[in-house]
């Protein structure tokens, strides 16, 4: 099988890039894969980004003209910029005869952008037409699948998958059996991720428990303000290491017990699956695809609301109840390793490729 896999520059950071890297690795020996980049390269800004995208589209035109692929795999996000460039590319592929053999894996999901499309007669018709001409559409949450169905997308073409985790080098938390006082936030620091409520909750917890530690790892526009707040409250036990990966991330996973993501906007975060695979206890909301990858009370603690009091109450309960904490830790690790390994998820995606190839 000959595959064309289109992705962002793999030198960028983030869940899409990590997923594509794992996918390409797992496909070695299973198919003849041609990777191709669409969009700005690392450190590119301004008009260079625009011209780079045009050059990529022209390159993909020639590539798909002179190489007949069995399946084309696209990796867009549901936002304005991605929709424009990926939409042009999709139209080009259809004109070249690839209609019905394109797999669209929608990673990011901008709910506000989708609602604007869904409420516009022409925009909803356009999105419906595009997705119904694709061979298959993959989304990260059952809710996203239902939303596509609400605008008339053929749901027989839409499948829910999770992101994937490289299990080979992941550590196992070494502290969850101790006291549960090592807390970890591992995500972008933006509005909607519950970062301010989390810091407020930590202040409440520090008034009750000694020896607490919180690591807020990641970057984002809210990071500097959060650091100022932590300093103003004399929270010397909160650290901000920035964006981490590799050995540094594994070290944090090994030395942490409770993973916190009190978000109100999410797809299927890789960091959650990594934390579960390492045996951390997730304290999360049911936003986006999170509800599809956890079992409340068994593999995670589900927050009723995003508030300092709710977060603090959930964490306090885990610290006080060691039996429950250890049980959730072990359940999460077992469940994640059974369902979210790169080998398993890639196997599911490869079956979709075969389905499209068979339909030629």
């Amino acid at each position: 099988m000959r595959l064309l896999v289109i992705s962002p520059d793999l030198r960028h950071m983030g869940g899409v890039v990590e997923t594509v890297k794992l996918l390409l690795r797992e496909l070695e020996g299973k198919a003849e894969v041609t990777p191709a980049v669409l969009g700005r390269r690392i450190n590119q800004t301004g008009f260079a980004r625009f011209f780079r995208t045009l050059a990529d589209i022209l390159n993909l035109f020639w590539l798909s003209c002179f190489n007949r692929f069995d399946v084309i795999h696209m990796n867009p996000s549901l936002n304005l910029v991605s929709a424009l460039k990926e939409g042009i590319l999709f139209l080009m592929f259809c004109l070249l005869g690839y209609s019905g053999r394109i797999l669209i894996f929608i990673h990011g999901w901008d709910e506000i952008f989708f609602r604007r499309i869904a409420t516009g007669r022409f925009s909803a018709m356009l999105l419906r037409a595009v997705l119904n001409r694709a061979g298959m559409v993959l989304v990260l949450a059952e809710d996203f699948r239902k939303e596509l169905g609400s605008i008339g997308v053929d749901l027989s073409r839409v499948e829910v998958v999770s992101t994937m985790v490289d299990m080979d080098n992941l550590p196992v938390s070494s502290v969850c059996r101790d006291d549960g006082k090592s807390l970890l936030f591992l995500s972008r620091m933006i509005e909607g991720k519950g970062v301010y409520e989390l810091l407020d909750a930590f202040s409440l917890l520090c008034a009750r428990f000694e020896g607490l530690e919180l690591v807020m790892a990641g970057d984002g526009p809210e990071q500097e303000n959060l650091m100022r707040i932590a300093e103003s409250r004399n929270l010397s036990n909160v650290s901000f290491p920035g964006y981490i990966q590799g050995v540094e991330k594994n070290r944090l996973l090994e030395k942490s017990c409770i993973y916190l993501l009190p978000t109100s906007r999410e797809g299927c975060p890789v960091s959650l699956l990594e934390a579960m695979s390492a045996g951390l206890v997730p304290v999360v909301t049911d936003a986006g695809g999170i509800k599809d990858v956890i079992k409340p009370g068994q593999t995670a603690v589900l927050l009723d609301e995003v508030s300092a009091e709710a977060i603090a109450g959930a964490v306090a309960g885990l610290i006080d109840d060691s039996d429950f904490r250890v049980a959730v830790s072990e359940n999460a690790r077992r469940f994640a390793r059974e369902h979210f390994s790169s080998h398993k998820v890639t196997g599911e995606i490869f079956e979709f490729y075969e389905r499209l190839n068979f339909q030629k």
Side-chain angles (χ1 to χ4, degrees):
M1 189 187 304
R2 302 191 70 196
L3 303 175
L4 175 62
V5 178
I6 302 163
S7 72
D9 185 349
L10 296 182
R11 294 173 296 173
H12 288 306
M13 301 180 294
V16 179
V17 166
E18 294 306 314
T19 296
V20 174
K21 283 181 179 178
L22 289 174
L23 177 68
L24 294 176
R25 188 191 75 179
E26 295 288 346
L27 287 174
E28 288 182 10
K30 295 181 179 179
E32 183 182 337
V33 182
T34 300
V37 177
L38 175 66
R40 75 176 183 92
R41 303 307 192 262
I42 193 167
N43 298 325
Q44 258 186 346
T45 57
F47 283 108
R49 302 171 60 179
F50 173 74
F51 289 116
R52 181 69 262 177
T53 300
L54 287 180
D56 289 337
I57 290 174
L58 289 174
N59 176 62
L60 285 163
F61 174 78
W62 290 110
L63 189 64
S64 52
C65 274
F66 295 104
N67 298 272
R68 299 308 296 175
F69 297 102
D70 296 307
V71 176
I72 294 176
H73 178 147
M74 302 178 68
N75 290 283
S77 293
L78 194 66
N79 58 53
L80 179 59
V81 173
S82 182
L84 289 174
K85 63 183 182 183
E86 306 270 0
I88 293 170
L89 197 59
F90 180 86
L91 176 61
M92 182 190 77
F93 287 140
C94 288
L95 292 174
L96 291 172
Y98 287 100
S99 179
R101 287 187 286 143
I102 303 171
L103 182 145
I104 299 177
F105 190 164
I106 301 176
H107 293 267
W109 186 279
D110 186 329
E111 186 64 33
I112 295 175
F113 180 68
F114 178 78
R115 293 263 59 88
R116 288 174 179 169
I117 291 177
T119 54
R121 183 176 179 181
F122 175 75
S123 57
M125 179 185 68
L126 183 61
L127 181 61
R128 180 171 62 247
V130 166
L131 297 184
N132 281 340
R133 285 185 69 87
M136 183 161 291
V137 180
L138 305 184
V139 293
L140 293 172
E142 181 62 34
D143 282 354
F144 301 159
R145 183 176 184 271
K146 291 177 181 177
E147 289 191 273
L148 291 180
S150 72
I151 63 170
V153 175
D154 180 1
L155 292 184
S156 68
R157 300 171 182 264
V158 184
E159 298 282 351
V160 179
V161 297
S162 73
T163 46
M164 61 183 84
V165 177
D166 181 3
M167 303 288 184
D168 292 346
N169 300 308
L170 271 183
V172 176
S173 172
S174 61
V175 298
C176 260
R177 290 185 176 275
D178 297 336
D179 56 19
K181 294 182 178 180
S182 300
L183 317 180
L184 175 64
F185 172 89
L186 183 58
S187 187
R188 286 273 291 165
M189 297 184 199
I190 58 177
E191 291 186 12
K193 292 280 188 176
V195 287
Y196 290 104
E197 291 86 351
L198 173 54
L199 203 54
D200 290 342
F202 191 68
S203 296
L204 295 175
L205 289 165
C206 286
R208 178 177 171 185
F209 298 102
E210 294 182 355
L212 287 176
E213 292 185 359
L214 169 63
V215 178
M216 298 191 71
D219 55 15
E222 305 304 316
Q223 182 180 8
E224 289 189 7
N225 194 39
L226 289 164
M227 293 173 70
R228 285 194 293 268
I229 293 173
E231 184 178 3
S232 70
R233 297 179 182 176
N234 296 317
L235 294 175
S236 58
N237 48 349
V238 181
S239 58
F240 296 85
Y243 181 85
I244 59 171
Q245 56 186 335
V247 173
E248 188 178 4
K249 179 166 66 175
N250 285 347
R251 182 184 61 80
L252 271 181
L253 290 171
E254 183 180 1
K255 298 301 181 183
S256 302
C257 175
I258 299 175
Y259 168 88
L260 296 154
L261 188 64
T263 181
S264 59
R265 45 188 289 193
E266 201 61 57
C268 182
V270 174
S271 65
L272 168 60
L273 304 187
E274 289 175 331
M276 292 173 67
S277 302
L280 276 69
V281 180
V283 175
V284 295
T285 62
D286 63 357
I290 291 177
K291 66 167 69 69
D292 296 313
V293 298
I294 65 164
K295 294 183 177 181
Q298 298 179 47
T299 64
V301 174
L302 186 64
L303 296 170
D304 294 329
E305 61 178 8
V306 180
S307 69
E309 291 74 19
I311 298 167
V315 172
L318 288 168
I319 294 174
D320 288 335
D321 191 341
S322 61
D323 290 341
F324 177 62
R325 182 177 70 246
V326 171
V328 174
S329 167
E330 292 176 350
N331 290 341
R333 181 171 178 266
R334 187 182 309 111
F335 184 78
R337 290 179 178 262
E338 288 175 358
H339 292 87
F340 309 128
S341 72
S342 56
H343 178 72
K344 183 179 188 303
V345 177
T346 299
E348 294 173 358
I349 294 174
F350 192 79
E351 289 180 3
F352 299 145
Y353 294 155
E354 291 183 317
R355 189 189 307 178
L356 297 183
N357 190 33
F358 181 76
Q359 293 173 352
K360 285 195 303 182

